[in-house]
Coordinates of all heavy atoms in Angstrom, one line a residue:
M1 N -97.9 -52.9 31.7 CA -98.7 -52.4 30.6 C -99.3 -51.0 30.6 O -99.9 -50.8 31.6 CB -99.9 -53.5 30.4 CG -99.7 -54.6 29.4 SD -101.1 -55.5 29.3 CE -100.5 -57.1 29.4
T2 N -99.0 -50.3 29.6 CA -99.4 -49.0 29.7 C -100.8 -48.9 28.8 O -100.9 -49.5 27.9 CB -98.5 -47.9 29.2 OG1 -97.9 -48.3 27.9 CG2 -97.5 -47.5 30.1
N3 N -101.7 -48.1 29.4 CA -103.0 -48.1 28.7 C -103.4 -46.7 28.6 O -104.0 -46.0 29.5 CB -104.0 -48.9 29.7 CG -105.3 -49.0 28.9 OD1 -105.4 -48.8 27.7 ND2 -106.3 -49.5 29.6
P4 N -102.9 -45.9 27.5 CA -103.2 -44.5 27.3 C -104.8 -44.2 27.2 O -105.6 -44.9 26.6 CB -102.6 -44.3 26.0 CG -102.4 -45.4 25.3 CD -102.3 -46.6 26.4
T5 N -105.2 -43.4 28.0 CA -106.6 -43.0 27.9 C -107.0 -42.0 26.8 O -106.2 -41.1 26.6 CB -106.9 -42.2 29.2 OG1 -106.0 -41.2 29.4 CG2 -106.9 -43.1 30.4
P6 N -107.9 -42.5 25.9 CA -108.2 -41.7 24.7 C -108.6 -40.2 25.0 O -108.1 -39.5 24.3 CB -109.5 -42.4 24.2 CG -109.4 -43.8 24.9 CD -108.7 -43.6 26.2
D7 N -109.1 -39.9 26.1 CA -109.7 -38.5 26.6 C -108.3 -37.6 26.6 O -108.3 -36.6 26.1 CB -110.3 -38.5 27.9 CG -111.8 -39.0 27.7 OD1 -112.2 -39.3 26.5 OD2 -112.5 -39.1 28.6
R8 N -107.3 -38.2 27.3 CA -106.1 -37.4 27.5 C -105.5 -37.2 26.1 O -105.0 -36.1 25.9 CB -105.2 -38.0 28.5 CG -105.6 -37.9 29.9 CD -104.6 -38.1 30.8 NE -103.5 -37.1 30.6 CZ -102.8 -36.6 31.5 NH1 -102.9 -37.1 32.7 NH2 -101.9 -35.7 31.3
L9 N -105.5 -38.1 25.3 CA -104.9 -38.1 24.0 C -105.6 -37.0 23.2 O -104.9 -36.3 22.5 CB -104.9 -39.5 23.3 CG -104.2 -39.6 22.1 CD1 -102.5 -39.6 22.5 CD2 -104.2 -41.0 21.6
T10 N -106.8 -37.1 23.2 CA -107.6 -36.2 22.4 C -107.3 -34.6 22.8 O -107.2 -33.7 22.1 CB -109.2 -36.4 22.5 OG1 -109.4 -37.8 22.1 CG2 -109.9 -35.6 21.6
D11 N -107.2 -34.6 24.3 CA -106.9 -33.3 24.9 C -105.5 -32.8 24.3 O -105.4 -31.6 23.8 CB -106.8 -33.4 26.4 CG -108.1 -33.0 27.0 OD1 -109.0 -32.8 26.3 OD2 -108.0 -32.8 28.2
L12 N -104.5 -33.6 24.3 CA -103.3 -33.3 23.8 C -103.3 -32.9 22.4 O -102.7 -31.9 22.1 CB -102.3 -34.5 24.0 CG -100.9 -34.2 24.0 CD1 -100.4 -33.3 25.0 CD2 -100.2 -35.5 24.0
L13 N -103.9 -33.7 21.5 CA -103.9 -33.5 20.1 C -104.7 -32.1 19.9 O -104.3 -31.3 19.1 CB -104.8 -34.5 19.3 CG -103.8 -35.8 19.2 CD1 -104.6 -36.9 18.6 CD2 -102.6 -35.6 18.4
G14 N -105.7 -31.9 20.5 CA -106.5 -30.7 20.5 C -105.8 -29.6 20.9 O -105.8 -28.4 20.2
G15 N -104.9 -29.7 21.9 CA -104.1 -28.5 22.3 C -103.0 -28.2 21.2 O -102.7 -27.1 21.0
L16 N -102.6 -29.3 20.4 CA -101.6 -29.1 19.4 C -102.2 -28.5 18.2 O -101.6 -27.8 17.4 CB -100.8 -30.3 19.1 CG -100.0 -30.9 20.3 CD1 -99.4 -32.2 20.0 CD2 -98.8 -29.9 20.5
L17 N -103.3 -29.0 17.7 CA -103.9 -28.8 16.5 C -104.8 -27.5 16.6 O -105.2 -27.0 15.5 CB -104.7 -29.9 16.0 CG -103.8 -31.2 15.8 CD1 -104.8 -32.3 15.4 CD2 -102.9 -31.0 14.7
G18 N -105.1 -27.1 17.7 CA -106.0 -25.9 17.9 C -107.5 -26.4 17.9 O -107.7 -27.7 17.9
P19 N -108.4 -25.6 18.0 CA -109.8 -26.0 18.1 C -110.3 -26.7 17.0 O -110.3 -26.2 16.0 CB -110.6 -24.7 18.5 CG -109.7 -23.6 17.9 CD -108.3 -24.1 18.0
A20 N -110.8 -27.9 17.2 CA -111.3 -28.7 16.2 C -112.8 -28.9 16.3 O -113.4 -29.1 15.3 CB -110.7 -30.1 16.1
G21 N -113.3 -28.8 17.5 CA -114.7 -29.1 17.8 C -115.5 -27.7 17.6 O -114.9 -26.7 17.2
P22 N -116.8 -27.9 18.0 CA -117.6 -26.7 17.7 C -117.6 -25.7 18.9 O -118.7 -25.0 19.1 CB -119.1 -27.3 17.5 CG -119.0 -28.6 18.4 CD -117.5 -29.0 18.3
E23 N -116.6 -25.6 19.6 CA -116.5 -24.7 20.7 C -115.6 -23.5 20.3 O -114.4 -23.7 19.9 CB -115.9 -25.4 21.9 CG -117.1 -25.9 22.8 CD -116.6 -26.4 24.1 OE1 -115.8 -25.5 24.8 OE2 -116.9 -27.4 24.5
L24 N -116.2 -22.3 20.4 CA -115.4 -21.2 20.1 C -115.1 -20.3 21.4 O -115.8 -20.3 22.3 CB -116.2 -20.2 19.2 CG -116.5 -20.6 17.7 CD1 -117.2 -19.5 17.0 CD2 -115.3 -20.9 17.0
T25 N -113.8 -19.8 21.3 CA -113.7 -18.8 22.4 C -114.1 -17.4 22.0 O -114.5 -17.3 20.8 CB -112.1 -18.7 22.5 OG1 -111.5 -18.2 21.4 CG2 -111.5 -19.9 22.9
C26 N -114.3 -16.6 22.8 CA -114.6 -15.1 22.4 C -113.8 -14.5 21.4 O -114.3 -13.7 20.6 CB -114.7 -14.2 23.7 SG -116.1 -14.7 24.9
E27 N -112.5 -14.8 21.5 CA -111.5 -14.3 20.6 C -111.9 -14.7 19.1 O -111.9 -14.0 18.1 CB -110.1 -14.7 21.0 CG -109.0 -13.8 20.4 CD -107.8 -14.2 21.1 OE1 -107.6 -14.3 22.3 OE2 -106.7 -14.4 20.2
E28 N -112.1 -16.2 19.0 CA -112.4 -16.7 17.8 C -113.8 -16.3 17.1 O -113.9 -15.9 16.1 CB -112.4 -18.3 18.0 CG -111.0 -18.8 18.0 CD -111.1 -20.2 18.6 OE1 -112.1 -20.6 19.1 OE2 -110.1 -20.9 18.5
C29 N -114.6 -16.1 18.1 CA -115.9 -15.6 17.8 C -115.9 -14.3 17.1 O -116.5 -14.0 16.0 CB -116.8 -15.5 19.1 SG -118.4 -14.9 18.9
F30 N -115.1 -13.3 17.8 CA -114.9 -11.9 17.3 C -114.2 -12.0 15.9 O -114.5 -11.3 15.0 CB -114.0 -11.2 18.3 CG -113.9 -9.8 17.9 CD1 -115.0 -8.9 18.2 CD2 -112.7 -9.4 17.4 CE1 -114.9 -7.7 17.9 CE2 -112.6 -7.9 17.1 CZ -113.7 -7.1 17.3
E31 N -113.3 -13.0 15.7 CA -112.6 -13.1 14.6 C -113.4 -13.4 13.4 O -113.1 -13.0 12.3 CB -111.4 -14.2 14.7 CG -110.3 -14.1 13.9 CD -109.2 -15.2 14.3 OE1 -108.8 -15.2 15.3 OE2 -109.0 -16.1 13.5
H32 N -114.4 -14.2 13.6 CA -115.2 -14.8 12.5 C -116.5 -14.0 12.4 O -117.4 -14.4 11.6 CB -115.5 -16.3 12.6 CG -114.2 -17.0 12.6 ND1 -113.5 -17.1 11.6 CD2 -113.6 -17.9 13.6 CE1 -112.5 -17.9 11.8 NE2 -112.5 -18.4 13.0
L33 N -116.6 -13.0 13.3 CA -118.1 -12.4 13.3 C -118.6 -11.8 12.1 O -119.6 -12.0 11.6 CB -118.0 -11.3 14.6 CG -119.4 -11.0 14.9 CD1 -120.2 -12.1 15.5 CD2 -119.3 -10.0 16.3
D34 N -117.5 -11.1 11.3 CA -118.1 -10.4 10.2 C -118.4 -11.5 9.0 O -119.4 -11.2 8.3 CB -117.0 -9.3 9.6 CG -115.7 -9.4 10.0 OD1 -115.5 -10.1 11.1 OD2 -114.9 -8.9 9.3
R35 N -117.7 -12.5 9.0 CA -118.1 -13.6 8.0 C -119.4 -14.2 8.3 O -120.2 -14.3 7.5 CB -116.8 -14.6 7.9 CG -117.2 -15.5 6.7 CD -115.9 -16.2 6.4 NE -115.4 -17.1 7.5 CZ -115.6 -18.4 7.3 NH1 -116.2 -18.9 6.4 NH2 -115.2 -19.2 8.4
Y36 N -119.5 -14.4 9.6 CA -120.8 -15.0 10.0 C -122.0 -14.1 9.7 O -123.0 -14.5 9.1 CB -120.7 -15.2 11.6 CG -121.9 -16.0 12.1 CD1 -122.0 -17.3 12.0 CD2 -123.0 -15.3 12.7 CE1 -123.1 -18.0 12.6 CE2 -124.0 -15.9 13.3 CZ -124.1 -17.3 13.2 OH -125.1 -17.9 13.8
V37 N -121.7 -12.8 10.0 CA -122.9 -11.9 9.7 C -123.1 -11.8 8.2 O -124.3 -11.6 7.7 CB -122.6 -10.6 10.3 CG1 -123.5 -9.4 9.8 CG2 -122.7 -10.6 11.8
E38 N -122.0 -11.8 7.4 CA -122.2 -11.8 6.0 C -123.1 -12.8 5.4 O -124.0 -12.6 4.7 CB -120.8 -11.8 5.4 CG -120.1 -10.6 5.4 CD -120.5 -9.5 4.2 OE1 -121.0 -10.0 3.1 OE2 -120.6 -8.4 4.6
V39 N -122.7 -14.1 5.9 CA -123.5 -15.2 5.3 C -124.9 -15.1 5.9 O -125.8 -15.5 5.3 CB -122.8 -16.4 5.9 CG1 -123.5 -17.8 5.4 CG2 -121.3 -16.5 5.4
E40 N -125.1 -14.7 7.2 CA -126.3 -14.6 7.8 C -127.3 -13.7 7.0 O -128.4 -14.0 6.8 CB -126.1 -14.1 9.2 CG -127.3 -14.6 10.1 CD -126.9 -14.1 11.5 OE1 -126.3 -13.1 11.8 OE2 -127.3 -14.9 12.4
L41 N -126.6 -12.5 6.6 CA -127.5 -11.6 5.8 C -127.7 -12.0 4.4 O -128.7 -11.5 3.9 CB -126.8 -10.2 5.9 CG -126.8 -9.6 7.2 CD1 -125.9 -8.2 7.2 CD2 -128.3 -9.1 7.7
S42 N -127.0 -12.8 3.8 CA -127.0 -13.2 2.5 C -127.8 -14.5 2.4 O -128.1 -14.9 1.3 CB -125.7 -13.3 1.8 OG -125.0 -14.3 2.4
G43 N -128.0 -15.1 3.4 CA -128.7 -16.4 3.3 C -129.5 -16.9 4.6 O -129.8 -16.1 5.3
A44 N -129.6 -18.2 4.7 CA -130.3 -18.6 5.8 C -129.4 -18.8 7.0 O -128.1 -18.9 6.9 CB -130.8 -20.2 5.6
D45 N -130.0 -19.0 8.3 CA -129.2 -19.0 9.5 C -128.4 -20.4 9.4 O -127.3 -20.5 10.0 CB -130.1 -19.0 10.5 CG -130.5 -17.6 11.1 OD1 -130.2 -16.8 10.3 OD2 -131.3 -17.5 12.1
A46 N -129.0 -21.4 8.7 CA -128.2 -22.7 8.7 C -127.0 -22.5 8.0 O -126.0 -23.2 8.4 CB -129.1 -23.7 8.0
D47 N -126.8 -21.7 6.9 CA -125.6 -21.5 6.3 C -124.7 -20.8 7.1 O -123.5 -21.2 7.0 CB -126.1 -20.6 5.0 CG -126.8 -21.5 4.0 OD1 -126.8 -22.7 3.9 OD2 -127.5 -20.8 3.2
A48 N -125.0 -19.9 7.9 CA -124.2 -19.1 8.6 C -123.5 -20.0 9.7 O -122.4 -20.0 9.9 CB -124.9 -18.0 9.3
D49 N -124.4 -20.9 10.2 CA -123.8 -21.9 11.3 C -122.9 -22.8 10.6 O -122.0 -23.3 11.2 CB -125.0 -22.6 11.9 CG -124.7 -23.0 13.3 OD1 -124.0 -22.3 14.0 OD2 -125.0 -24.2 13.5
A50 N -123.1 -23.1 9.4 CA -122.3 -23.9 8.6 C -120.9 -23.3 8.3 O -119.9 -24.0 8.3 CB -122.8 -24.5 7.4
A51 N -121.0 -22.0 8.0 CA -119.8 -21.3 7.7 C -118.9 -21.2 8.9 O -117.6 -21.2 8.8 CB -120.2 -19.9 7.2
V52 N -119.4 -20.9 10.0 CA -118.7 -20.8 11.2 C -119.3 -21.8 12.3 O -120.1 -21.3 13.1 CB -118.7 -19.4 11.7 CG1 -117.7 -19.2 12.9 CG2 -118.4 -18.3 10.7
P53 N -118.8 -23.0 12.3 CA -119.4 -24.0 13.2 C -119.3 -23.6 14.6 O -118.1 -23.3 15.0 CB -118.6 -25.3 12.8 CG -118.2 -25.0 11.4 CD -117.9 -23.6 11.3
G54 N -120.3 -23.7 15.4 CA -120.1 -23.4 16.8 C -120.4 -22.1 17.2 O -120.5 -21.5 18.4
M55 N -120.5 -21.1 16.1 CA -120.7 -19.7 16.4 C -122.1 -19.5 17.1 O -122.3 -18.8 18.1 CB -120.8 -18.9 15.1 CG -121.1 -17.5 15.3 SD -119.7 -16.6 16.2 CE -118.8 -15.8 14.8
H56 N -123.1 -20.2 16.6 CA -124.6 -20.1 17.1 C -124.6 -20.4 18.5 O -125.0 -19.7 19.3 CB -125.5 -20.9 16.2 CG -126.8 -20.6 16.7 ND1 -127.5 -19.4 16.3 CD2 -127.8 -21.3 17.4 CE1 -128.9 -19.6 16.8 NE2 -129.0 -20.6 17.5
A57 N -123.9 -21.5 18.8 CA -123.9 -22.1 20.2 C -123.1 -21.1 21.2 O -123.6 -20.8 22.3 CB -123.1 -23.5 20.3
H58 N -122.0 -20.4 20.6 CA -121.3 -19.5 21.5 C -122.1 -18.4 21.7 O -122.2 -17.7 22.8 CB -120.1 -19.1 20.8 CG -119.2 -18.2 21.7 ND1 -118.3 -18.6 22.6 CD2 -119.2 -16.9 21.6 CE1 -117.9 -17.6 23.2 NE2 -118.3 -16.5 22.7
L59 N -122.8 -17.7 20.7 CA -123.7 -16.5 20.8 C -124.8 -16.8 21.8 O -125.2 -16.0 22.6 CB -124.2 -16.0 19.5 CG -123.2 -15.6 18.5 CD1 -123.9 -15.3 17.1 CD2 -122.5 -14.5 19.0
D60 N -125.3 -18.1 21.8 CA -126.4 -18.5 22.7 C -126.0 -18.5 24.1 O -126.7 -18.1 25.0 CB -126.7 -20.0 22.4 CG -128.2 -20.0 21.8 OD1 -128.7 -19.0 21.5 OD2 -128.8 -21.0 21.8
G61 N -124.7 -18.7 24.4 CA -124.2 -18.7 25.7 C -123.4 -17.6 26.2 O -122.9 -17.6 27.4
C62 N -123.1 -16.8 25.4 CA -122.2 -15.6 25.6 C -123.0 -14.3 25.4 O -123.0 -13.9 24.1 CB -121.0 -15.7 24.9 SG -119.8 -14.4 25.3
P63 N -123.5 -13.6 26.3 CA -124.3 -12.4 26.0 C -123.5 -11.3 25.4 O -123.8 -10.6 24.6 CB -124.7 -12.0 27.5 CG -124.6 -13.3 28.2 CD -123.6 -14.1 27.6
A64 N -122.2 -11.2 25.9 CA -121.3 -10.1 25.3 C -121.1 -10.3 23.8 O -121.3 -9.3 23.1 CB -119.9 -10.2 26.1
C65 N -120.8 -11.5 23.4 CA -120.6 -11.7 21.9 C -122.0 -11.6 21.2 O -122.0 -11.2 20.0 CB -119.9 -13.0 21.7 SG -118.3 -13.1 22.2
A66 N -123.0 -12.1 21.8 CA -124.3 -11.9 21.2 C -124.5 -10.4 20.9 O -125.2 -10.1 20.0 CB -125.4 -12.5 22.0
E67 N -124.3 -9.7 21.9 CA -124.5 -8.2 21.7 C -123.7 -7.6 20.6 O -124.2 -6.9 19.8 CB -124.1 -7.4 23.0 CG -124.9 -6.2 23.2 CD -124.7 -5.6 24.6 OE1 -125.1 -6.3 25.5 OE2 -124.1 -4.5 24.7
D68 N -122.3 -8.0 20.5 CA -121.4 -7.7 19.3 C -122.2 -8.1 18.0 O -122.1 -7.3 17.1 CB -120.1 -8.3 19.5 CG -119.2 -7.4 20.4 OD1 -119.7 -6.5 21.0 OD2 -118.1 -8.0 20.7
H69 N -122.5 -9.3 18.1 CA -123.2 -9.8 16.9 C -124.5 -9.0 16.5 O -124.6 -8.7 15.3 CB -123.5 -11.4 17.2 CG -124.5 -11.9 16.1 ND1 -125.8 -12.1 16.3 CD2 -124.3 -12.2 14.9 CE1 -126.3 -12.6 15.3 NE2 -125.4 -12.8 14.2
D70 N -125.3 -8.7 17.4 CA -126.4 -8.0 17.0 C -126.2 -6.6 16.6 O -126.7 -6.2 15.5 CB -127.2 -7.7 18.4 CG -128.1 -9.0 18.6 OD1 -128.1 -9.9 17.9 OD2 -128.8 -9.0 19.6
S71 N -125.1 -5.9 17.1 CA -124.9 -4.6 16.6 C -124.2 -4.6 15.3 O -124.3 -3.7 14.4 CB -124.1 -3.7 17.7 OG -123.0 -4.4 18.2
L72 N -123.3 -5.6 15.0 CA -122.7 -5.7 13.8 C -123.7 -6.0 12.7 O -123.6 -5.5 11.5 CB -121.6 -6.9 13.9 CG -120.7 -7.0 12.5 CD1 -120.0 -5.7 12.3 CD2 -119.8 -8.1 12.5
R73 N -124.5 -6.9 13.0 CA -125.5 -7.3 12.0 C -126.5 -6.0 11.7 O -126.8 -5.8 10.6 CB -126.4 -8.4 12.5 CG -127.3 -8.9 11.4 CD -127.9 -10.3 11.8 NE -128.8 -10.2 13.0 CZ -129.6 -11.2 13.4 NH1 -129.5 -12.3 12.8 NH2 -130.3 -11.0 14.5
A74 N -126.8 -5.2 12.6 CA -127.5 -4.1 12.5 C -126.7 -3.1 11.6 O -127.2 -2.5 10.6 CB -127.9 -3.4 13.7
L75 N -125.5 -3.1 11.9 CA -124.7 -2.1 11.1 C -124.5 -2.5 9.6 O -124.7 -1.8 8.7 CB -123.2 -2.0 11.7 CG -122.2 -1.1 11.1 CD1 -122.5 0.4 11.4 CD2 -120.8 -1.4 11.6
V76 N -124.1 -3.8 9.4 CA -124.0 -4.3 8.0 C -125.2 -4.3 7.3 O -125.4 -3.8 6.2 CB -123.4 -5.8 8.1 CG1 -123.2 -6.4 6.7 CG2 -122.0 -5.7 8.7
G77 N -126.4 -4.6 8.0 CA -127.6 -4.6 7.4 C -128.1 -3.2 6.9 O -128.5 -3.0 5.8
S78 N -127.7 -2.2 7.7 CA -128.2 -0.9 7.4 C -127.3 -0.2 6.2 O -127.7 0.5 5.4 CB -128.0 0.1 8.5 OG -126.7 0.3 8.9
E79 N -125.9 -0.8 6.3 CA -125.0 -0.4 5.1 C -125.6 -1.0 3.7 O -125.4 -0.3 2.8 CB -123.6 -0.9 5.3 CG -122.8 0.1 6.1 CD -121.5 -0.6 6.4 OE1 -121.1 -1.6 5.9 OE2 -120.7 0.0 7.2
R80 N -126.1 -2.1 3.7 CA -126.7 -2.8 2.7 C -127.9 -2.0 2.0 O -128.1 -2.1 0.9 CB -127.1 -4.3 2.8 CG -125.6 -5.0 3.1 CD -125.9 -6.4 2.9 NE -124.7 -7.0 3.1 CZ -124.4 -8.2 2.7 NH1 -125.3 -9.0 2.3 NH2 -123.2 -8.8 2.7
Q81 N -128.6 -1.4 3.0 CA -129.8 -0.8 2.6 C -129.6 0.6 2.0 O -130.3 1.1 1.3 CB -130.8 -0.7 3.8 CG -131.6 -1.9 4.0 CD -132.3 -1.9 5.3 OE1 -132.3 -1.0 5.9 NE2 -132.7 -3.1 5.7
S82 N -128.4 1.1 2.2 CA -128.0 2.4 1.6 C -126.7 2.3 0.8 O -125.7 2.7 1.4 CB -128.0 3.5 2.8 OG -127.1 3.0 3.7
P83 N -126.8 1.7 -0.3 CA -125.5 1.5 -1.2 C -124.9 2.8 -1.6 O -125.6 3.8 -1.6 CB -126.0 0.8 -2.4 CG -127.5 1.1 -2.4 CD -128.0 1.3 -1.1
G84 N -123.6 2.8 -1.6 CA -123.0 4.0 -2.0 C -122.2 4.7 -1.0 O -121.4 5.6 -1.2
R85 N -122.7 4.3 0.3 CA -122.0 4.9 1.5 C -121.0 3.9 2.1 O -121.4 2.7 2.2 CB -123.1 5.3 2.6 CG -123.9 6.5 2.0 CD -124.6 7.0 3.2 NE -123.6 7.2 4.3 CZ -123.7 8.1 5.3 NH1 -124.7 9.0 5.4 NH2 -122.8 8.2 6.2
G86 N -120.0 4.3 2.6 CA -119.0 3.5 3.3 C -118.1 2.7 2.4 O -117.5 1.9 2.9
R87 N -118.3 2.8 1.2 CA -117.6 1.9 0.2 C -116.8 2.8 -0.9 O -116.8 2.3 -1.9 CB -118.5 0.9 -0.4 CG -118.7 -0.3 0.5 CD -118.6 -1.6 -0.4 NE -118.9 -2.7 0.4 CZ -118.4 -4.0 0.1 NH1 -117.7 -4.2 -1.0 NH2 -118.5 -4.9 1.1
S88 N -116.2 3.8 -0.4 CA -115.4 4.6 -1.3 C -113.9 4.1 -1.4 O -113.3 4.2 -0.4 CB -115.5 6.0 -1.0 OG -115.2 6.2 0.3
A89 N -113.6 3.5 -2.5 CA -112.2 2.9 -2.6 C -111.4 3.9 -3.5 O -111.9 4.3 -4.6 CB -112.2 1.6 -3.2
Ligands
ZN101 ZN1 -118.1 -14.8 23.7

């Protein structure tokens, strides 16, 4: 009788389907950072966390990404305060 362990099965599926849980890699974090900051600046922190699940937890545990996030947020925030700059299309 074979008895497949659910844990291994989930691992396997997770590897095939990509990240499904609230855990981000630094790469994914970086990929979603501008969207996260956009939502963060336009609404509540809860919305930003809903937009990019796991981001907040990653920033909490990853100083490097937290620093990236801080500087991007400062950059986007300052751009919004001076409209007309940096958006010449
Ligand atoms: Zn990171």
Side-chain angles (χ1 to χ4, degrees):
M1 261 185 228
T2 44
N3 194 8
T5 47
D7 279 354
R8 289 202 58 150
L9 193 62
T10 307
D11 260 11
L12 190 64
L13 286 175
L16 290 173
L17 298 175
E23 271 192 42
L24 292 180
T25 63
C26 287
E27 205 174 306
E28 288 161 342
C29 177
F30 186 75
E31 202 173 304
H32 298 297
L33 198 56
D34 23 339
R35 189 157 66 98
Y36 184 80
V37 168
E38 277 290 318
V39 179
E40 207 174 29
L41 287 174
S42 66
D45 281 5
D47 291 336
D49 205 41
V52 190
M55 179 69 100
H56 185 77
H58 183 86
L59 294 176
D60 244 15
C62 184
C65 287
E67 204 171 300
D68 274 0
H69 165 257
D70 279 358
S71 48
L72 183 63
R73 188 165 64 175
L75 182 74
V76 175
S78 71
E79 269 177 10
R80 292 197 170 196
Q81 276 166 16
S82 52
R85 290 202 45 157
R87 275 227 180 200
S88 48

